[in-house]
Amino acid sequence: MRWSWRKVEETFFRCLMMAAVVLVMLILLWILLTILVRGVPALDWEMVSRTPRGGFYLGKSGGILNAILGSLFLTLGATLAAFVAGLPVALYLTCFRGDSSRTAAFIRTVLDVLWGIPSIVYGAFGFVLMIWLGLRASLLGGMLAVALLILPIMIRGMDEVIRLVPRELYDSAYALGATKMETAFRVVIRQAAPGILSTVLIALGRGMGDAASVLFTAGYTDALPSSLLEPVATLPLAIFFQLGTPFPEVQERAYASALLLTILILVISGVARWLIRRYARQVVR
Amino acid sequence: MTGEHVIHARDLNVYYGQLHVLKDITVAIPRSKITAIIGPSGCGKSTLLRSFNRLLETMDNVRLAGSVRLGPQDVYAPGVDVTLIRKKMGLLAQRPFPLPMSIYENVAFGPRLHGIRNRRALDRLVEDNLQLTGLWSEVRDRLHTPAVELSIGQQQRLCLARGLAVEPEVILADEPTSALDPQSSRRIEECFRHLKDRYSIVMVTHILRQARRLADYILFLYMGELVEHGPAEQMFNAPRRELTREYVQGVIS
Ligand SMILES: Nc1ncnc2c1ncn2[C@@H]1O[C@H](COP(=O)(O)OP(=O)(O)OP(=O)(O)O)[C@@H](O)[C@H]1O
Ligand SMILES: [Mg+2]
């Protein structure tokens, strides 16, 4: 059997792809192993059930319940706000504007640019916005900044999945005498529901993991979140502060916090995937 | 409503951008009959059908001139409620597209839009219209399962029932059997035969045998022009135009 050039080419690229897959898997595994190995020993019930005590950052007792709850409240609030603000925009782009609309194309370009802006810029902008509104670093301020950060992701993501809804489905609804609004809200959204849920999930993950946007806007506190107008702790910043101490036992807890953040996101995506599967049953393929 | 004809099109011209796809169409569609629009691919059959219920204007590069009347009503008159126009003309597409909800919800969707909320009334409507399309006995035990789980043929009959539930005067069908197996096609044809006493049916087909089997009246379109129209008998056996004769005999296609 002779080796033809095409066969060499084929084999070469097959190897290259395998290598890439293996590399990606290794990196993922490495990250998970790191936070597991370093985090699990420091993870105990106190970690998730208590707030920092005096001397927590010096290695004394306490937990990061403040940051867990803070991150949850902040991200859920921001995601909800971005969803509510983003859905009408996505529907406008798809259901109310034709495919050849210049306005829609322009808005999409703007959103793609916004998507690319680093999160620290959203933090800085949120900070300016807060001063302008007379707010100080608070849960509300953090929500605002994170909502802005994930808004482009939310809109463009929903836009893309809604664009996959077949023309004929719109026609079916129109032919029954549905208005554009009724078609959008009762048919298109349902058809796109699995995709919309995945988008929300991606946006939520992005928001929950981001430190830079909440640094100035949410502040940090050892207390549990109590009011929209009080500062609030978040997991990314909890990790940052603990990792920044010179004490190994506190650094261990940073990894435990990272582990908790990961678990939190995994649980949320698990629930969402279950929902997606339920909605996907109804969808026309 | 009475009158011999249900739809009147007059000097209808349609353009997609620069492309002139329907040229000076003037025709009347008979009431309570099955009318078939035949003609080669790309001659504008679907366009004509969609100009009747104003679905054309949902595309963004379309221009239309001329008039269409449904009974006494001018379909394109300024200020008419387009949803009420569309409601009077059920649509059956080439491939069935059930709405992403249950069988029951599919049929109840239209009536709900138009204000029927009463559960008993909706139950009745769902049952009656599923009966009309012969689907009731097949799905009565699973009304609340997703409509997409039905077979393609059942889905098409569901789409028909869904359209009937808003009590249209006309059924517009665009090659309604072309995605179906022979058995399912036959069932759709049977439905049409039963329904034509109560509804006027306009169907696009490029299956000449189907047109022969079903149609009472035929429109023959060729490259955007209405070459000839008349009772099926005459169109198939004694067409006036040479082009029509060649087409119905399968010389051109
Ligand atoms: N949205 C559109 N934009 C531009 N041109 C179009 C559009 N839709 C249809 N056309 C063109 O208009 C002409 C008529 O199309 P139409 O779909 O009405 O034909 P048809 O007779 O239904 O054909 P078929 O039997 O293949 O379904 C065709 O030449 C087609 O290419
Ligand atoms: Mg067609």
Side-chain angles (χ1 to χ4, degrees):
Chain A
M1 188 185 71
R2 281 199 53 224
W3 279 72
S4 71
W5 175 241
R6 292 174 62 203
K7 202 154 185 177
V8 172
E9 210 175 50
E10 175 88 8
T11 316
F12 176 72
F13 278 105
R14 170 115 35 92
C15 290
L16 209 64
M17 276 186 284
M18 298 271 265
V21 171
V22 168
L23 186 68
V24 169
M25 297 303 281
L26 274 181
I27 292 175
L28 183 67
L29 219 67
W30 195 4
I31 294 175
L32 286 178
L33 272 180
T34 308
I35 58 172
L36 276 173
V37 167
R38 301 238 193 154
V40 168
L43 194 64
D44 52 18
W45 184 239
E46 196 177 354
M47 206 48 202
V48 296
S49 64
R50 306 202 31 197
T51 55
R53 304 282 127 157
F56 176 70
Y57 299 99
L58 304 172
K60 298 252 178 61
S61 70
I64 53 158
L65 184 62
N66 57 333
I68 295 175
L69 288 183
S71 263
L72 265 181
F73 291 168
L74 195 152
T75 320
L76 289 179
T79 306
L80 188 70
F83 175 72
V84 170
L87 187 63
V89 183
L91 287 176
Y92 172 77
L93 290 176
T94 47
C95 300
F96 290 81
R97 289 265 136 193
D99 283 335
S100 58
S101 159
R102 295 243 181 105
T103 324
F106 176 71
I107 296 176
R108 288 194 177 104
T109 313
V110 170
L111 287 167
D112 288 344
V113 172
L114 285 175
W115 190 325
I117 291 177
S119 59
I120 186 74
V121 177
Y122 282 96
F125 175 67
F127 192 58
V128 172
L129 210 61
M130 277 163 42
I131 293 174
W132 186 65
L133 289 172
L135 286 173
R136 60 187 187 119
S138 61
L139 179 53
L140 188 62
M143 275 182 192
L144 209 65
V146 173
L148 288 176
L149 169 74
I150 62 180
L151 191 60
I153 303 174
M154 199 70 113
I155 298 176
R156 284 293 277 127
M158 292 196 283
D159 174 34
E160 290 297 332
V161 299
I162 293 175
R163 275 211 276 183
L164 295 178
V165 174
R167 262 319 310 163
E168 290 89 339
L169 205 58
Y170 290 82
D171 289 347
S172 304
Y174 290 150
L176 293 169
T179 60
K180 281 192 171 182
M181 189 82 120
E182 288 160 342
T183 306
F185 280 94
R186 301 196 196 181
V187 177
V188 175
I189 287 189
R190 282 208 201 197
Q191 171 75 12
I196 290 177
L197 264 169
S198 319
T199 301
V200 169
L201 194 70
I202 290 167
L204 189 140
R206 176 81 205 279
M208 191 168 281
D210 194 71
S213 59
V214 292
L215 193 56
F216 310 120
T217 52
Y220 200 82
T221 171
D222 285 349
L224 289 178
S226 56
S227 141
L228 274 175
L229 299 174
E230 292 295 317
V232 72
T234 46
L235 278 168
L237 289 183
I239 297 169
F240 175 72
F241 290 137
Q242 293 173 108
L243 216 50
T245 65
F247 310 104
E249 57 269 52
V250 182
Q251 289 178 355
E252 299 260 283
R253 287 199 199 132
Y255 287 99
S257 311
L259 186 58
L260 285 172
L261 179 57
T262 311
I263 291 172
L264 211 56
I265 289 180
L266 282 181
V267 168
I268 293 174
S269 49
V271 172
R273 278 197 195 286
W274 177 75
L275 279 174
I276 289 170
R277 252 206 307 283
R278 281 196 44 181
Y279 277 107
R281 262 187 88 204
Q282 301 275 359
V283 157
V284 186
R285 275 167 292 260
Chain B
M1 221 170 302
T2 50
E4 206 183 329
H5 295 109
V6 61
I7 297 175
H8 297 260
R10 186 168 200 150
D11 298 327
L12 196 62
N13 281 281
V14 174
Y15 307 80
Y16 289 118
Q18 293 302 311
L19 194 67
H20 194 176
V21 286
L22 285 185
K23 300 166 187 163
D24 294 320
I25 308 284
T26 298
V27 68
I29 308 282
R31 186 181 295 279
S32 297
K33 294 266 158 58
I34 298 178
T35 300
I37 304 177
I38 59 173
S41 183
C43 68
K45 303 182 294 293
S46 303
T47 307
L48 180 60
L49 203 68
R50 294 160 64 89
S51 69
F52 290 158
N53 70 345
R54 291 184 62 171
L55 260 185
L56 271 188
E57 66 202 44
T58 61
M59 292 186 280
D60 41 33
N61 59 344
V62 183
R63 201 155 52 79
L64 180 145
S67 80
V68 174
R69 271 195 297 126
L70 174 67
Q73 166 125 57
D74 182 352
V75 167
Y76 286 93
V80 297
D81 184 346
V82 62
T83 61
L84 292 183
I85 294 289
R86 293 200 184 125
K87 171 180 181 288
K88 290 189 194 157
M89 298 189 244
L91 179 77
L92 210 53
Q94 207 155 350
R95 227 193 90 191
F97 274 87
L99 303 172
M101 45 192 87
S102 70
I103 297 170
Y104 183 98
E105 300 282 329
N106 260 272
V107 184
F109 184 84
R112 280 209 177 111
L113 284 181
H114 301 289
I116 300 180
R117 292 269 177 281
N118 180 294
R119 183 78 200 191
R120 295 256 298 282
L122 286 173
D123 286 350
R124 262 229 83 78
L125 272 173
V126 169
E127 177 172 350
D128 289 350
N129 288 292
L130 288 174
Q131 290 277 19
L132 272 179
T133 55
L135 207 55
W136 177 251
S137 57
E138 293 161 48
V139 302
R140 59 186 306 170
D141 303 322
R142 47 170 173 151
L143 285 176
H144 297 283
T145 61
V148 286
E149 289 174 2
L150 294 171
S151 75
I152 297 291
Q154 289 174 321
Q155 285 182 22
Q156 189 66 310
R157 280 183 288 145
L158 176 67
C159 290
L160 183 56
R162 175 181 77 190
L164 295 177
V166 293
E167 297 175 351
E169 286 178 41
V170 184
I171 298 165
L172 305 175
D174 193 350
E175 301 183 25
T177 62
S178 65
L180 308 186
D181 59 281
Q183 171 79 24
S184 302
S185 303
R186 226 170 3 253
R187 304 208 57 169
I188 292 280
E189 290 185 11
E190 273 164 32
C191 285
F192 279 6
R193 267 193 217 98
H194 287 137
L195 292 171
K196 78 172 180 182
D197 297 333
R198 291 168 53 184
Y199 305 89
S200 313
I201 298 171
V202 187
M203 67 183 296
V204 170
T205 179
H206 56 214
I207 311 168
L208 282 170
R209 266 176 300 140
Q210 188 173 51
R212 263 181 218 272
R213 277 197 300 270
L214 280 179
D216 304 301
Y217 201 82
I218 307 267
L219 315 188
F220 172 50
L221 279 184
Y222 193 80
M223 293 178 52
E225 292 185 46
L226 182 58
V227 175
E228 188 173 349
H229 58 102
E233 188 86 356
Q234 174 205 320
M235 289 287 282
F236 280 116
N237 300 327
R240 279 194 281 261
R241 300 276 299 266
E242 184 58 19
L243 202 56
T244 315
R245 193 188 59 76
E246 285 177 1
Y247 186 78
V248 297
Q249 291 178 354
V251 182
I252 52 166
S253 61

